[in-house]
Amino acid sequence: SQQGEEDPQALSIQEGENATMNCSYKTSINNLQWYRQNSGRGLVHLILIRSNEREKHSGRLRVTLDTSKKSSSLLITASRAADTASYFCATDNQGGKLIFGQGTELSVKP
Amino acid sequence: EADIYQTPRYLVIGTGKKITLECSQTMGHDKMYWYQQDPGMELHLIHYSYGVNSTEKGDLSSESTVSRIRTEHFPLTLESARPSHTSQYLCASSATGTTKNIQYFGAGTRLSVL
């Protein structure tokens, strides 16, 4: 089965609100990454957090990692309609491959 | 935008046809990957390559085959397409010599087999 599980599966918010997505995984990891996918397109890398880091920021993105709980969260602050997309977490367990979660579909209404 | 290109973007074909999905990258990456993704669903790794003349099957069994004769090119072939092959196929690449393993994706090929 896939390593990552994400919740919620879908999230609908208003512009300006914050969006939080969660990801859980099963095995030890080297790093955890978040990707964004616009409808019908490929994935775009957003942010990476290493296993020895607890929090990372990039613009309006904030990622946390709790290796004891094997979980991560992605927070998008002050969301915009253009943030509407699917968001995937992916774990790198040093095997050279990434294992993707099921994704959270975010809808930001203007 | 990543320098990785997939063609065609959309393909509608009849059952039994042979097809090749093209993937090329200009970043000099050694590692390349093929994923299959149904709408709104997770990505499943079907093939990967860590360099020229190196190919491996992924976690999801697939009737497709791949080749890696040149670093920049990683085509996927279906000898006889079936309706069950209808899906989106995503190609990605990543650099070696780094611990980050960030993958760069093409825009995908949406395949529909009638």
Side-chain angles (χ1 to χ4, degrees):
Chain A
S1 63
Q2 290 291 315
Q3 164 98 305
E5 294 185 5
E6 296 182 57
D7 78 272
Q9 286 190 315
L11 180 61
S12 182
I13 59 174
Q14 296 293 131
E15 251 187 342
E17 294 180 339
N18 295 342
T20 300
M21 290 158 260
N22 303 295
C23 169
S24 61
Y25 57 92
K26 297 176 182 174
T27 64
S28 61
I29 61 172
N30 182 43
N31 65 61
L32 185 144
Q33 303 176 32
W34 286 89
Y35 288 79
R36 166 193 167 127
Q37 183 180 35
N38 283 39
S39 180
R41 306 290 294 182
L43 279 71
V44 176
H45 178 260
L46 293 176
I47 192 167
L48 177 151
I49 186 165
R50 296 186 189 277
S51 60
N52 60 355
E53 297 176 313
R54 292 296 167 258
E55 190 169 310
K56 200 89 173 276
H57 295 257
S58 177
R60 294 185 295 114
L61 305 180
R62 172 178 167 253
V63 171
T64 62
L65 179 65
D66 187 335
T67 53
S68 67
K69 295 181 180 177
K70 292 186 169 58
S71 67
S72 174
S73 67
L74 172 67
L75 168 68
I76 304 174
T77 60
S79 62
R80 306 165 181 167
D83 294 329
T84 294
S86 292
Y87 292 82
F88 293 86
C89 68
T91 53
D92 177 3
N93 61 0
Q94 298 183 300
K97 298 180 284 184
L98 293 181
I99 300 177
F100 287 85
Q102 298 160 320
T104 293
E105 191 174 331
L106 174 65
S107 175
V108 182
K109 301 186 186 307
Chain B
E1 289 283 326
D3 295 323
I4 179 163
Y5 308 99
Q6 290 186 243
T7 57
R9 288 278 287 119
Y10 303 94
L11 182 60
V12 181
I13 59 167
T15 297
K17 299 292 186 184
K18 177 180 178 180
I19 60 166
T20 296
L21 308 184
E22 302 288 349
C23 176
S24 295
Q25 50 93 7
T26 59
M27 297 174 283
H29 289 169
D30 286 326
K31 297 179 182 176
M32 295 190 75
Y33 312 84
W34 276 104
Y35 294 90
Q36 185 174 341
Q37 182 188 31
D38 291 327
M41 303 295 286
E42 63 206 289
L43 282 72
H44 293 281
L45 182 66
I46 52 176
H47 297 284
Y48 62 99
S49 167
Y50 287 167
V52 171
N53 295 324
S54 155
T55 61
E56 300 287 345
K57 289 190 180 295
D59 304 319
L60 180 70
S61 176
S62 173
E63 293 165 346
S64 58
T65 59
V66 292
S67 63
R68 189 89 183 276
I69 298 172
R70 302 199 315 267
T71 298
E72 62 271 23
H73 195 213
F74 191 40
L76 180 145
T77 298
L78 274 168
E79 290 292 334
S80 180
R82 295 206 295 269
S84 61
H85 296 138
T86 294
S87 189
Q88 172 157 265
Y89 293 83
L90 294 168
C91 180
S93 70
S94 65
T96 50
T98 170
T99 58
K100 292 186 176 181
N101 195 22
I102 293 172
Q103 294 189 8
Y104 298 86
F105 283 79
T109 293
R110 188 170 295 278
L111 173 66
S112 181
V113 184
L114 306 177

